[in-house]
């Protein structure tokens, strides 16, 4: 009898075992977890309780919050200032290039309309923070590429990229469903970025001041308690994105990372390092949940039905995306090897595609099945490609500081 507890047991035991096997044979751990999700999921062995699949999106968000807090605690504001312009360009330019590539070649290769091409380009356009963020945190901790702030740049760009693409996707879907694109939808993109960062910084500084206040009064708060409190506040920030949506756009993911970053800047360095280590331990469990659940969302039937034309479009779009990344790197100090690594780091798709790939189908749009096929196929191809590519090349392409 499959229930919630046995499903969690499978996720942790099988997922972490497969990750260890992949690590042993020099493959990225994520591949083992993704494969575990596909095999355990409803489209192969069906060994996961529908209850856990029903809250899959929430579980993935929780895992993402944990790694974003760790990333924020590890970020150095001074380093981030150095890469402000290219990080900003990477938050939208590669996605725009990918959508452009799909709008140019999609109608000719797949025989679809321009609106359908825009929807598919937007589905493909988001880089996966679930794949990229953990790797960038690892690079920052091991000092690869940190001299030129490469991991920080990719981390910031990837976090902003999702906000931009999801707004575009919602706009294009609305147009296809018979609605119109509103100017406010596009205005909300920079608004959500600014409000997310400002709100996160304010909350992070407030937390640091509060913890310091109790410390000075000899009412010390254990680091484990601080971790739980920070998680609770982060979940509230994520909830505010949905609750305040009718009135103001806020990026919950950016608010969470900004909160951790501001806290690390204001709090004692030792406290920041200890909390970062605590979140690193939490990430061991969260990582398994995140990637196994992403794998469980992959319907292998649609992947098999996708055909070579969809696969060809994915690689054409990736070529356009790579051009966008390289253009974002202009007038920087990065050499050719480092720019190639940035291109590789921006290949993987997973989280956003799993979240929005089925939306057009659920809305009854004619392109729904093809969009889902595209989303699933892009996960299967690019998540291992990007993860494996980063794992294989970072020591060769990046300088250790």
């Amino acid at each position: 009898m499959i229930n919630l507890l046995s499903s969690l047991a499978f996720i942790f035991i099988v997922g972490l075992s497969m990750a260890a096997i992949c690590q042993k044979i020099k493959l990225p751990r994520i591949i083992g977890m993704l494969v575990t999700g596909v095999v355990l999921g409803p489209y192969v062995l069906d060994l996961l309780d529908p209850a856990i699949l029903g809250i899959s999106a929430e579980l993935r968000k929780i895992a993402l919050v944990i790694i974003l807090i760790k990333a924020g605690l590890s970020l150095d504001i001074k380093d981030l200032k150095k890469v402000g312009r290219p990080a900003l360009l990477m938050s939208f330019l590669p996605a725009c290039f990918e959508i452009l590539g799909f709008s140019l070649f999609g109608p000719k290769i797949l025989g679809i309309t321009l609106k359908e091409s825009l929807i598919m380009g937007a589905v493909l356009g988001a880089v996966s923070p679930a794949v990229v963020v953990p790797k960038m945190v690892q690079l920052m901790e091991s000092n690869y590429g940190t001299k030129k702030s490469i991991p920080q740049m990719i981390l910031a760009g990837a976090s902003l990229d999702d906000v931009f693409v999801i707004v575009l996707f919602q706009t294009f879907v609305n147009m296809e469903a018979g609605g119109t694109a509103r100017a406010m939808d596009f205005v909300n993109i920079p608004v959500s970025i600014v409000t997310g960062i400002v709100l996160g910084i304010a909350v992070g500084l407030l937390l640091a001041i509060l913890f310091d206040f109790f410390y000075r009064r000899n009412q010390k708060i254990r680091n484990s308690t601080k971790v739980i409190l920070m998680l609770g506040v982060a979940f509230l920030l994520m909830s505010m994105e949905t609750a305040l949506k009718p009135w103001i756009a806020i990026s919950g993911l950016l608010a969470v990372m900004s909160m951790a970053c501001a806290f690390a800047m204001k709090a004692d360095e030792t406290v920041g390092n200890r909390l970062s280590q605590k979140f690193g331990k939490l990430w061991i469990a969260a990582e398994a949940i995140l990637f196994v659940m992403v794998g469980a969302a992959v319907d292998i039937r649609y992947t098999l039905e996708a055909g070579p034309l969809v696969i060809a479009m994915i690689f054409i779009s990736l070529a356009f995306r790579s051009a966008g990344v390289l253009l974002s790197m202009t007038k920087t100090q990065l050499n050719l090897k480092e720019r190639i690594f940035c291109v590789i780091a921006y290949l993987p798709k997973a989280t956003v595609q799993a979240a929005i790939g089925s939306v057009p189908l659920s809305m009854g749009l004619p392109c729904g099945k093809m969009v889902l096929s595209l989303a699933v196929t892009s996960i299967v191809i690019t998540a291992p490609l990007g993860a494996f590519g980063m794992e294989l090349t970072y020591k060769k392409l990046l300088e250790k500081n």
Side-chain angles (χ1 to χ4, degrees), residues 142-148 399-401:
S142 55
N143 288 323
Y144 275 96
T146 51
K147 187 176 181 181
K148 297 181 182 177
E399 180 185 344
K400 185 167 185 179
N401 187 15

Side-chain angles (χ1 to χ4, degrees), residues 308-364:
L309 292 180
V310 168
I311 295 171
M313 271 310 308
I314 289 172
F315 280 102
I316 289 171
S317 300
L318 289 179
F320 272 80
R321 182 178 192 80
S322 301
V325 173
L326 291 173
L327 189 60
S328 303
M329 300 291 105
T330 53
K331 295 184 179 179
T332 63
Q333 297 179 347
L334 273 61
N335 59 39
L336 181 60
K337 287 183 177 181
E338 291 161 341
R339 294 180 190 213
I340 291 171
F341 179 81
C342 292
V343 168
I344 295 169
Y346 252 55
L347 293 179
K349 328 278 185 179
T351 327
V352 175
Q353 287 70 27
I356 67 176
S358 60
V359 171
L361 185 63
S362 65
M363 292 175 64

Side-chain angles (χ1 to χ4, degrees), residues 124-184:
L124 268 188
V127 69
S128 174
V131 180
V132 174
V133 173
K135 190 63 189 177
M136 294 308 110
V137 173
Q138 180 194 332
L139 293 182
M140 286 190 288
E141 289 174 347
S142 55
N143 288 323
Y144 275 96
T146 51
K147 187 176 181 181
K148 297 181 182 177
S149 305
I150 295 169
Q152 292 90 327
M153 175 184 65
I154 295 171
L155 185 64
S159 301
L160 294 167
D161 169 274
D162 286 359
V163 179
F164 176 73
V165 169
I166 289 171
V167 172
L168 286 184
F169 170 77
Q170 291 168 340
T171 305
F172 295 148
V173 165
N174 186 45
M175 289 167 59
E176 177 65 11
T180 55
R182 299 176 303 166
M184 201 60 197

Side-chain angles (χ1 to χ4, degrees), residues 47-70:
L47 291 178
L48 297 178
D49 186 3
I52 202 168
L53 293 172
I55 58 169
S56 173
E58 286 74 18
L59 289 174
R60 293 199 300 266
K61 277 186 182 178
I62 290 171
L64 206 51
V65 162
I66 289 171
I67 193 61
L68 281 172
I69 293 175
K70 178 166 173 55

